[in-house]
Amino acid sequence: MNICFISREYPPQTGWGGIGTYTRIIAQALAARGHAVHVIAVSNTGSAFEYADHAVHAVHVHRVLPLPFPLPQGKALYRFRQAARAFAFNTLVRLSWAKAAGEKYRELAKTKNFDIVESAECGAEAFYVKPRDGARLVIRLHTPWSMAAKLDRIDEGRFDTWLTGYFERKTALRAHGVSSPTQALASILRKQWGLSRIVCYPNPLDADSFSAPALPGNYIIYTGRVERRKGVHLLVQAYGMLIKKGIDMPGLLLVGAPFGGIAGQGPYEESIERLIDSLGVREKITWIKKADRDEVVRKLPGACMAVFPSLWENFPYACLEAMAAGLPVVASRCGGYEEIIEEGRSGVLAAPGNAEDLTQCIERMITDTCLAQTCGQGGRERVRVLCNTDAVVLRTEQLYGECAHG
């Protein structure tokens, strides 16, 4: 098959999160199976360029620059353009990238004869893609921006967030196939977007590519973007409570870039810094704010456990990678975590948004070495089976085949 992925995120240049990690892993796995794979991703260098990603088999990567805002021109529409920039600025930023990706896709499609085009729903990146000559559009659900923005309380305006959600839904509804790594997100979007059929199968990850530590490390670790919906404020609060109880706590290592500003409160980064100072735990907490995925992977073996206290989550690679590295994990009892973690066997789940319950779960994992060992070993095996790349690729090929011949 000839396959094209459209993903603003694609490591290493723009490997900002789980969408980029998923896209690279699945693209390389499909290429290894003999498919011709192209990826259209954003350029952060100021110029467009192309290269072959040879990590496994060649994936052809096309980096493009966003285009000007997709607004009608002419003097008569000046006030409309001004209003659009004022009330829908962030949606226009997303559409300017989507339009560039759509134009690059049409250029490539003239000679590549794509069978499948896959893109995330987040940000409506495939909105301008019009598959030609039998090519089929597949949308992979990660978490819509319109949903994430509400959880993060992002201060970008209700209309702006709603409009992005409109384009996300419209793109998903015209797709020939929709897939999700979790039943949790599929259930929500079936109701909210009216998607009639969503195929569910996990995201891929090779657990054996991670080194499991021979002995427990000396710090608790959190990896991922530091934003409100990830619940990092709850982790800092729980850590402070444990220190106050007089428990001999290992250090806490946060690895991830700060993201988002909460309406009426300023940047989330500043609220976390203030919280750390107010609890008097500055000397016990280290925050690495700039780290690529390779550095994150290097930090995992030195940890004794990982904590992911999200308010809601789909299928987070940060948690999967920690489990693959053999770390006992405490996460929230919400969304995809409940489909990933088996309570007491591959991790422990805390009530979402509840710092007290999170405190108890962390204390339990710290003090019960038998539980920690069981969850560490069980978590690694869980990822090995659940996220087996070969199995996920077969499910992906099956969906592609159904879309191509349906």
Side-chain angles (χ1 to χ4, degrees):
M1 281 185 155
N2 294 324
I3 302 165
C4 180
F5 287 91
I6 293 178
S7 176
R8 188 167 175 264
E9 297 181 16
Y10 192 80
Q13 292 95 334
T14 55
W16 299 311
I19 295 175
T21 300
Y22 161 80
T23 303
R24 193 179 197 196
I25 292 174
I26 196 67
Q28 291 175 351
L30 287 166
R33 292 269 295 173
H35 300 285
V37 181
H38 294 255
V39 176
I40 300 173
V42 75
S43 170
N44 62 352
T45 66
S47 61
F49 62 100
E50 300 180 1
Y51 63 95
D53 184 353
H54 286 289
V56 181
H57 290 258
V59 172
H60 305 281
V61 182
H62 310 266
R63 298 276 181 183
V64 300
L65 295 170
L67 292 173
F69 286 172
L71 292 171
Q73 299 303 304
K75 290 183 178 179
L77 294 170
Y78 172 77
R79 291 189 180 277
F80 171 79
R81 291 193 298 273
Q82 291 296 98
R85 291 188 178 96
F87 295 104
F89 180 83
N90 294 285
T91 298
L92 290 173
V93 169
R94 295 175 190 115
L95 290 179
S96 69
W97 149 245
K99 187 174 182 181
E103 291 195 3
K104 186 63 179 181
Y105 166 77
R106 284 189 287 278
E107 175 191 324
L108 293 173
K110 293 176 182 178
T111 57
K112 305 305 179 186
N113 296 315
F114 291 120
D115 301 294
I116 295 291
V117 185
E118 181 179 318
S119 184
E121 90 291 12
C122 184
E125 296 186 5
F127 178 73
Y128 288 97
V129 171
K130 304 188 186 315
R132 61 180 286 274
D133 300 334
R136 296 293 185 262
L137 174 63
V138 174
I139 292 296
R140 180 70 168 171
L141 302 177
H142 292 269
T143 298
W145 171 255
S146 49
M147 181 177 174
K150 292 176 183 177
L151 290 166
D152 275 333
R153 297 181 182 173
I154 296 293
D155 188 12
E156 68 173 22
R158 290 185 179 181
F159 177 75
D160 207 346
T161 300
W162 175 87
L163 191 59
T164 291
Y166 168 81
F167 287 114
E168 290 174 329
R169 178 177 180 270
K170 189 171 183 179
T171 305
L173 285 172
R174 66 178 173 82
H176 299 88
V178 179
S179 68
S180 170
T182 66
Q183 292 288 349
L185 183 58
S187 178
I188 291 171
L189 294 185
R190 281 192 190 100
K191 295 176 183 177
Q192 293 186 357
W193 286 3
L195 297 172
S196 59
R197 182 172 182 264
I198 303 174
V199 179
C200 294
Y201 55 86
N203 287 341
L205 185 68
D206 180 10
D208 293 325
S209 66
F210 291 80
S211 299
L215 295 171
N218 56 8
Y219 50 81
I220 298 170
I221 194 169
Y222 165 86
T223 62
R225 279 193 298 269
V226 177
E227 56 186 303
R228 183 184 179 275
R229 71 183 176 102
K230 302 291 186 179
V232 180
H233 56 288
L234 299 168
L235 173 55
V236 174
Q237 288 171 14
Y239 187 79
M241 290 179 190
L242 289 164
I243 294 288
K244 190 175 181 179
K245 287 180 67 174
I247 296 175
D248 184 18
M249 292 293 293
L252 173 60
L253 177 62
L254 310 176
V255 186
F259 177 80
I262 302 175
Q265 298 181 32
Y268 186 67
E269 176 183 12
E270 293 180 5
S271 69
I272 293 297
E273 295 285 9
R274 288 194 300 267
L275 181 60
I276 291 172
D277 287 334
S278 69
L279 294 173
V281 292
R282 173 67 63 184
E283 293 183 358
K284 297 280 287 184
I285 297 180
T286 302
W287 185 356
I288 300 175
K289 298 182 181 182
K290 292 184 179 180
D292 59 21
R293 184 167 179 260
D294 290 340
E295 184 171 357
V296 170
V297 171
R298 288 193 297 270
K299 294 295 184 184
L300 292 175
C304 60
M305 65 180 293
V307 184
F308 302 101
S310 302
L311 303 179
W312 196 91
E313 198 69 78
N314 182 22
F315 202 80
Y317 266 106
C319 178
L320 297 173
E321 290 167 349
M323 292 170 69
L327 298 182
V329 166
V330 173
S332 296
R333 190 179 294 106
C334 65
Y337 283 129
E338 294 183 276
E339 299 175 39
I340 297 169
I341 293 173
E342 307 149 303
E343 178 68 36
R345 291 190 290 167
S346 52
V348 172
L349 296 171
N354 190 322
E356 289 78 13
D357 193 44
L358 180 64
T359 301
Q360 293 175 12
C361 290
I362 295 173
E363 182 178 0
R364 184 179 162 208
M365 194 72 86
I366 287 286
T367 57
D368 189 339
T369 55
C370 182
L371 174 65
Q373 185 176 18
T374 297
C375 290
Q377 294 173 351
R380 183 172 170 84
E381 185 59 27
R382 176 66 172 159
V383 172
R384 181 181 285 116
V385 174
L386 180 67
C387 302
N388 179 274
T389 301
D390 291 337
V392 173
V393 168
L394 288 176
R395 295 289 300 276
T396 303
E397 289 175 328
Q398 182 181 358
L399 174 61
Y400 287 177
E402 292 172 357
C403 292
H405 301 107

